[in-house]
Amino acid sequence: MFLYSPGDFIVIENIKCDVKKLLGKEKSGHAYDHVFRVYKTAMRLCKNEKADAEIVALASFLHDCDDYKIFGKKYADNLINAKNIMAASNVNKEKQQIVCDIIQNMGYSKSLAGIRPETIEGAIVSDADMLDAIGALGITRCLAYALDKCEGHIFDKDIYPELNLSHEEYKRPNRKSDNFINHFFEKLLKVKNLMMTDSGKKEAEKRHDVMVVFLRQYFAEQNLDNWGKFLERFLAGDF
């Protein structure tokens, strides 16, 4: 079912307002504008994949409300904010559990541990979230995150990315390689291969190409032939 019932619409609107209050001032690239884009993309994918629109909408709006990078491990493990927001809007327990299962099984770091959504609704929200991490908007979000959370580290030509990070290594704080440019190699250029829906795969290809063009130009303007060659080897799967 794609269209909301009147009751569903009211619930979604209430939750949207609560999420906006919670994330409205976040500056790491995970603010409400990101959440709303994920929602809009997920709704588009939902229509193509013929999934349950209410579940997709709820999970889209709530997926970052307990993000470990913002709220810490306790919130991420227990989804405290998401559960409180759903309870305040009288979302029934069964739907709450379905939404929580989606949120707890999505995210790039979890994919490194082999954890992926198990339903079509989860796959849609996961794809929408990952799509917002790549392409032109992904580039600006990555830069915003570096400026806010990585002490403004943009690029160091002498520090290459750590490829094939494990789940634990990826989440390790204060990694030496953690900067704006290296993040493309450590995550963003790998995202297109993590898409779970046909619609998501098509969109990811286009956004992936935008990032490749950006990196080629970035290295060319700095006359860094070694980094340009590193990029081409990475894209060819040599690592």
Side-chain angles (χ1 to χ4, degrees), residues 1-2 43 46 50-57 120-121 124:
M1 180 180 71
F2 179 68
M43 288 293 98
C46 183
K50 297 180 174 58
D52 187 313
E54 183 190 9
I55 295 298
V56 169
I120 185 59
E121 288 77 20
I124 287 168

Side-chain angles (χ1 to χ4, degrees), residues 108 130 133-135 138-139 142 161 163-164 170 180-195 204-216 219 227-237 239:
Y108 180 75
M130 289 196 178
I134 60 177
I139 292 171
C142 183
L163 303 179
N164 304 313
Y170 180 79
F180 170 58
I181 292 297
N182 282 357
H183 195 60
F184 285 86
F185 297 95
E186 294 176 354
K187 174 185 175 181
L188 304 187
L189 293 173
K190 301 179 180 182
V191 165
K192 75 169 186 174
N193 294 327
L194 294 173
M195 293 293 107
E205 287 286 347
K206 294 185 290 184
R207 298 193 185 200
H208 179 87
D209 291 345
V210 170
M211 296 188 297
V212 172
V213 169
F214 168 77
L215 288 172
R216 284 175 175 155
F219 298 141
W227 274 88
K229 291 176 181 177
F230 179 84
L231 171 62
E232 299 308 324
R233 290 184 62 196
F234 181 91
L235 295 173
F239 299 109

